[in-house]
Amino acid sequence: RLEEVNGKVNNSLHLDLEILCRDTLDMLIQTVLIIIDRSPPVLGGLVACLIGLLQLLDEFHYKNLWDELRERKPLKDFLLRAFLVLRMLVRQDVFPPDWMVMKMAANHVILGALRELAQPLILRFLDTRCHFDNQVWTEYFNLAVAFLTQPSLQLEKFSEVKRGKIVSKYGDMREKMGFQILSVWSKLGEHKINFIPSMVGPFLEVTLVPEPELRKATLHIFFDMMDCEQRVHGNFKQVESELIDKLDILISDNKGDDEYRQLFNTILLERVQKEDPAWKENGSAFITSVTRLLERLLDYRSVIQGDENRDKRMSCTVNLLNFYKNEINRKEMYLRYVYKLHALHVPADNYAEAGFTLKLYADSLQWNARPVVADPLAQPDQPEWHRKEQLYGQILEYFDKGKCWEQGIPLCKELANLYERKLFDYNKLSHILQTQAKFCDNILTLLRPEPEYFRVGFYGLSFPLFLRNKVFIY
């Protein structure tokens, strides 16, 4: 029986829970944290005890706990331990895979706990610049993102019957967590800059979850990030760079769809038009550019599997590398797709095309000692001339295999000049001159079948973007 005494709920259960919360909760969290990686037989029982205790706690118990942890450091240590253990629980399969009821009940409890654990963040770790604690806030956001994106909450992967039962009992917990993230994010104010660019990727992963209402709500975070960085740094280059990098990775991991592309473009452009910030023109251009990138990435993903799609993959890869080079000038992304295109040509015995692909990169390098940047295959601090020499060697091999000797002779002359006038390496000079002579002999003496060429055009909206209104020579 509940009674009101001096404004407090006073019954035996609440008093017992208050004692458990004060004396046992932290100990239980620490114990689970220590043994969770070892997965001993007692782990499931301890986790069930922890979830059961969190389920019984209410706002009154949490308030008493925060009052008990008055000092800043003990409170921070407790929150970090709680965030860490909860993140491990949503990432690891503590319970058997078919215990869906238990998993959903645990997730519902964790969702409620996350709402309560946000309160001391706002009250004790936010008020002034000197009291703001980036570490504990980052851990909270990482936990929230891990909760929202965990496989057991991706309802679209379940049967319609199972999905209906889960939604009728718990609702879509992803959507609830998304609005919780938005609620906490909105209170950060000037401190939002501390999460740029580190949280761009995690929040992008949240917006890619295929739940329309969640997407519509959380996409606004990117406007906040762009606006915040623009006010602090005079541009939003960090948001731009991180968003493009992470989009490429996440779309390749089969996240996102055409509906997301349309929502991204519509919601952010409408927000820019409505708010009319000083960076409106640059912001609109960036949003449009990312939308075009999304279209190309989705086209590329749709043809990434199957030998029958090899030519389409090549076309999509060319579109992407041209986009990264010409539209947004991202050399590291450009090189990533140069190497991908090269890797498509070699197994198909398109040796001349493989050579021309590497030459796209080699032409951007100079015969100087500047270190190579943004090349994942280059050696650390490798000078440009050395990387260019390596690439020319590969290209000459491909041109020889592809019987494209005329294209190899100018490269031989460049290497000969390097060895004779700059490196004074006469062994290499002798070798490259022999290669050049061999190419000249092959042109004169070896028979090559006359190729047949076909000019093929693809016109009309029924063709995908990477083919539409384009002409190819086959």
Side-chain angles (χ1 to χ4, degrees), residues 91 103 126 173 181 236 271 347 388 395 405 407 425 461:
R91 285 182 173 174
K103 286 184 178 181
L126 181 62
M173 287 184 274
I181 291 173
F236 46 86
R271 183 77 186 273
K388 186 163 185 169
I395 294 166
W405 302 299
Q407 298 297 327
D425 189 329
L461 296 177

PDB file of all heavy atoms in Angstrom, residues 91 103 126 173 181 236 271 347 388 395 405 407 425 461:
ATOM      1  N   ARG A  91      25.572  -4.462 -27.928  1.00  0.00           N
ATOM      2  CA  ARG A  91      26.416  -4.939 -29.019  1.00  0.00           C
ATOM      3  C   ARG A  91      26.675  -6.444 -28.959  1.00  0.00           C
ATOM      4  O   ARG A  91      26.933  -7.067 -29.979  1.00  0.00           O
ATOM      5  CB  ARG A  91      27.760  -4.198 -29.013  1.00  0.00           C
ATOM      6  CG  ARG A  91      27.657  -2.773 -29.536  1.00  0.00           C
ATOM      7  CD  ARG A  91      29.008  -2.103 -29.549  1.00  0.00           C
ATOM      8  NE  ARG A  91      28.951  -0.802 -30.207  1.00  0.00           N
ATOM      9  CZ  ARG A  91      29.965   0.050 -30.252  1.00  0.00           C
ATOM     10  NH1 ARG A  91      31.107  -0.260 -29.671  1.00  0.00           N
ATOM     11  NH2 ARG A  91      29.839   1.211 -30.869  1.00  0.00           N
ATOM     12  N   LYS A 103      15.223 -10.089 -25.198  1.00  0.00           N
ATOM     13  CA  LYS A 103      15.999  -9.002 -25.807  1.00  0.00           C
ATOM     14  C   LYS A 103      15.176  -7.715 -25.890  1.00  0.00           C
ATOM     15  O   LYS A 103      15.668  -6.620 -25.593  1.00  0.00           O
ATOM     16  CB  LYS A 103      16.469  -9.407 -27.202  1.00  0.00           C
ATOM     17  CG  LYS A 103      17.607 -10.408 -27.211  1.00  0.00           C
ATOM     18  CD  LYS A 103      18.057 -10.669 -28.640  1.00  0.00           C
ATOM     19  CE  LYS A 103      19.229 -11.623 -28.677  1.00  0.00           C
ATOM     20  NZ  LYS A 103      19.705 -11.864 -30.050  1.00  0.00           N
ATOM     21  N   LEU A 126      27.034  20.399 -18.152  1.00  0.00           N
ATOM     22  CA  LEU A 126      26.694  21.235 -19.304  1.00  0.00           C
ATOM     23  C   LEU A 126      26.737  22.725 -19.026  1.00  0.00           C
ATOM     24  O   LEU A 126      27.076  23.506 -19.905  1.00  0.00           O
ATOM     25  CB  LEU A 126      25.280  20.859 -19.805  1.00  0.00           C
ATOM     26  CG  LEU A 126      24.749  21.621 -21.020  1.00  0.00           C
ATOM     27  CD1 LEU A 126      25.622  21.379 -22.231  1.00  0.00           C
ATOM     28  CD2 LEU A 126      23.312  21.206 -21.316  1.00  0.00           C
ATOM     29  N   MET A 173      11.238   1.374 -30.914  1.00  0.00           N
ATOM     30  CA  MET A 173      12.193   1.951 -29.960  1.00  0.00           C
ATOM     31  C   MET A 173      13.284   2.759 -30.654  1.00  0.00           C
ATOM     32  O   MET A 173      13.899   3.631 -30.045  1.00  0.00           O
ATOM     33  CB  MET A 173      12.795   0.851 -29.084  1.00  0.00           C
ATOM     34  CG  MET A 173      11.810   0.305 -28.049  1.00  0.00           C
ATOM     35  SD  MET A 173      12.526  -0.916 -26.938  1.00  0.00           S
ATOM     36  CE  MET A 173      12.311  -2.411 -27.891  1.00  0.00           C
ATOM     37  N   ILE A 181      17.755  11.424 -28.604  1.00  0.00           N
ATOM     38  CA  ILE A 181      19.008  12.026 -29.073  1.00  0.00           C
ATOM     39  C   ILE A 181      18.773  13.478 -29.459  1.00  0.00           C
ATOM     40  O   ILE A 181      19.544  14.369 -29.097  1.00  0.00           O
ATOM     41  CB  ILE A 181      19.576  11.230 -30.270  1.00  0.00           C
ATOM     42  CG1 ILE A 181      20.069   9.850 -29.821  1.00  0.00           C
ATOM     43  CG2 ILE A 181      20.718  11.999 -30.940  1.00  0.00           C
ATOM     44  CD1 ILE A 181      20.484   8.940 -30.967  1.00  0.00           C
ATOM     45  N   PHE A 236      32.136  25.152 -43.094  1.00  0.00           N
ATOM     46  CA  PHE A 236      31.731  23.847 -42.543  1.00  0.00           C
ATOM     47  C   PHE A 236      32.492  22.723 -43.252  1.00  0.00           C
ATOM     48  O   PHE A 236      31.954  21.677 -43.600  1.00  0.00           O
ATOM     49  CB  PHE A 236      30.211  23.638 -42.645  1.00  0.00           C
ATOM     50  CG  PHE A 236      29.593  23.994 -43.972  1.00  0.00           C
ATOM     51  CD1 PHE A 236      29.561  23.074 -45.001  1.00  0.00           C
ATOM     52  CD2 PHE A 236      29.051  25.246 -44.172  1.00  0.00           C
ATOM     53  CE1 PHE A 236      28.997  23.394 -46.221  1.00  0.00           C
ATOM     54  CE2 PHE A 236      28.462  25.581 -45.389  1.00  0.00           C
ATOM     55  CZ  PHE A 236      28.440  24.639 -46.416  1.00  0.00           C
ATOM     56  N   ARG A 271      15.198  23.431 -45.084  1.00  0.00           N
ATOM     57  CA  ARG A 271      15.664  24.071 -43.846  1.00  0.00           C
ATOM     58  C   ARG A 271      16.569  25.260 -44.159  1.00  0.00           C
ATOM     59  O   ARG A 271      16.471  26.317 -43.521  1.00  0.00           O
ATOM     60  CB  ARG A 271      16.406  23.032 -43.000  1.00  0.00           C
ATOM     61  CG  ARG A 271      16.894  23.539 -41.651  1.00  0.00           C
ATOM     62  CD  ARG A 271      15.778  23.637 -40.636  1.00  0.00           C
ATOM     63  NE  ARG A 271      16.242  24.261 -39.407  1.00  0.00           N
ATOM     64  CZ  ARG A 271      16.818  23.595 -38.402  1.00  0.00           C
ATOM     65  NH1 ARG A 271      16.968  22.265 -38.480  1.00  0.00           N
ATOM     66  NH2 ARG A 271      17.192  24.228 -37.310  1.00  0.00           N
ATOM     67  N   PRO A 347      41.164  -8.516 -63.911  1.00  0.00           N
ATOM     68  CA  PRO A 347      40.599  -9.872 -64.067  1.00  0.00           C
ATOM     69  C   PRO A 347      39.891 -10.076 -65.404  1.00  0.00           C
ATOM     70  O   PRO A 347      39.746 -11.209 -65.866  1.00  0.00           O
ATOM     71  CB  PRO A 347      39.604  -9.987 -62.908  1.00  0.00           C
ATOM     72  CG  PRO A 347      39.972  -8.916 -61.951  1.00  0.00           C
ATOM     73  CD  PRO A 347      40.552  -7.820 -62.771  1.00  0.00           C
ATOM     74  N   LYS A 388      55.712   7.598 -58.871  1.00  0.00           N
ATOM     75  CA  LYS A 388      55.420   7.717 -60.304  1.00  0.00           C
ATOM     76  C   LYS A 388      56.233   6.697 -61.099  1.00  0.00           C
ATOM     77  O   LYS A 388      55.724   6.084 -62.044  1.00  0.00           O
ATOM     78  CB  LYS A 388      55.723   9.133 -60.777  1.00  0.00           C
ATOM     79  CG  LYS A 388      55.306   9.402 -62.226  1.00  0.00           C
ATOM     80  CD  LYS A 388      55.244  10.881 -62.519  1.00  0.00           C
ATOM     81  CE  LYS A 388      54.707  11.127 -63.920  1.00  0.00           C
ATOM     82  NZ  LYS A 388      54.381  12.523 -64.191  1.00  0.00           N
ATOM     83  N   ILE A 395      52.337   0.302 -65.552  1.00  0.00           N
ATOM     84  CA  ILE A 395      51.615   0.699 -66.766  1.00  0.00           C
ATOM     85  C   ILE A 395      52.281   0.100 -68.002  1.00  0.00           C
ATOM     86  O   ILE A 395      51.598  -0.406 -68.916  1.00  0.00           O
ATOM     87  CB  ILE A 395      51.555   2.239 -66.870  1.00  0.00           C
ATOM     88  CG1 ILE A 395      50.693   2.808 -65.737  1.00  0.00           C
ATOM     89  CG2 ILE A 395      50.996   2.668 -68.214  1.00  0.00           C
ATOM     90  CD1 ILE A 395      50.833   4.306 -65.554  1.00  0.00           C
ATOM     91  N   TRP A 405      51.632  -0.834 -77.560  1.00  0.00           N
ATOM     92  CA  TRP A 405      53.025  -0.402 -77.417  1.00  0.00           C
ATOM     93  C   TRP A 405      53.228   1.073 -77.738  1.00  0.00           C
ATOM     94  O   TRP A 405      54.099   1.726 -77.168  1.00  0.00           O
ATOM     95  CB  TRP A 405      53.905  -1.278 -78.321  1.00  0.00           C
ATOM     96  CG  TRP A 405      53.773  -2.737 -77.995  1.00  0.00           C
ATOM     97  CD1 TRP A 405      54.061  -3.343 -76.816  1.00  0.00           C
ATOM     98  CD2 TRP A 405      53.277  -3.758 -78.859  1.00  0.00           C
ATOM     99  NE1 TRP A 405      53.797  -4.689 -76.872  1.00  0.00           N
ATOM    100  CE2 TRP A 405      53.309  -4.985 -78.131  1.00  0.00           C
ATOM    101  CE3 TRP A 405      52.816  -3.800 -80.178  1.00  0.00           C
ATOM    102  CZ2 TRP A 405      52.901  -6.190 -78.665  1.00  0.00           C
ATOM    103  CZ3 TRP A 405      52.413  -5.003 -80.708  1.00  0.00           C
ATOM    104  CH2 TRP A 405      52.455  -6.195 -79.964  1.00  0.00           C
ATOM    105  N   GLN A 407      51.498   3.556 -76.900  1.00  0.00           N
ATOM    106  CA  GLN A 407      51.246   4.389 -75.719  1.00  0.00           C
ATOM    107  C   GLN A 407      52.370   4.253 -74.688  1.00  0.00           C
ATOM    108  O   GLN A 407      52.533   5.118 -73.834  1.00  0.00           O
ATOM    109  CB  GLN A 407      49.910   4.000 -75.085  1.00  0.00           C
ATOM    110  CG  GLN A 407      48.710   4.201 -75.976  1.00  0.00           C
ATOM    111  CD  GLN A 407      48.502   5.658 -76.343  1.00  0.00           C
ATOM    112  OE1 GLN A 407      48.802   6.557 -75.559  1.00  0.00           O
ATOM    113  NE2 GLN A 407      47.996   5.896 -77.548  1.00  0.00           N
ATOM    114  N   ASP A 425      71.365   6.732 -63.125  1.00  0.00           N
ATOM    115  CA  ASP A 425      71.313   5.289 -62.909  1.00  0.00           C
ATOM    116  C   ASP A 425      71.329   4.619 -64.283  1.00  0.00           C
ATOM    117  O   ASP A 425      70.307   4.441 -64.933  1.00  0.00           O
ATOM    118  CB  ASP A 425      70.037   4.921 -62.141  1.00  0.00           C
ATOM    119  CG  ASP A 425      70.019   3.478 -61.692  1.00  0.00           C
ATOM    120  OD1 ASP A 425      70.596   2.632 -62.389  1.00  0.00           O
ATOM    121  OD2 ASP A 425      69.413   3.185 -60.626  1.00  0.00           O
ATOM    122  N   LEU A 461      14.827   8.376 -69.830  1.00  0.00           N
ATOM    123  CA  LEU A 461      14.798   8.278 -68.373  1.00  0.00           C
ATOM    124  C   LEU A 461      14.732   6.842 -67.867  1.00  0.00           C
ATOM    125  O   LEU A 461      14.899   6.606 -66.669  1.00  0.00           O
ATOM    126  CB  LEU A 461      13.599   9.061 -67.826  1.00  0.00           C
ATOM    127  CG  LEU A 461      13.619  10.575 -68.077  1.00  0.00           C
ATOM    128  CD1 LEU A 461      12.343  11.207 -67.537  1.00  0.00           C
ATOM    129  CD2 LEU A 461      14.834  11.213 -67.434  1.00  0.00           C
TER     130      LEU A 461
END
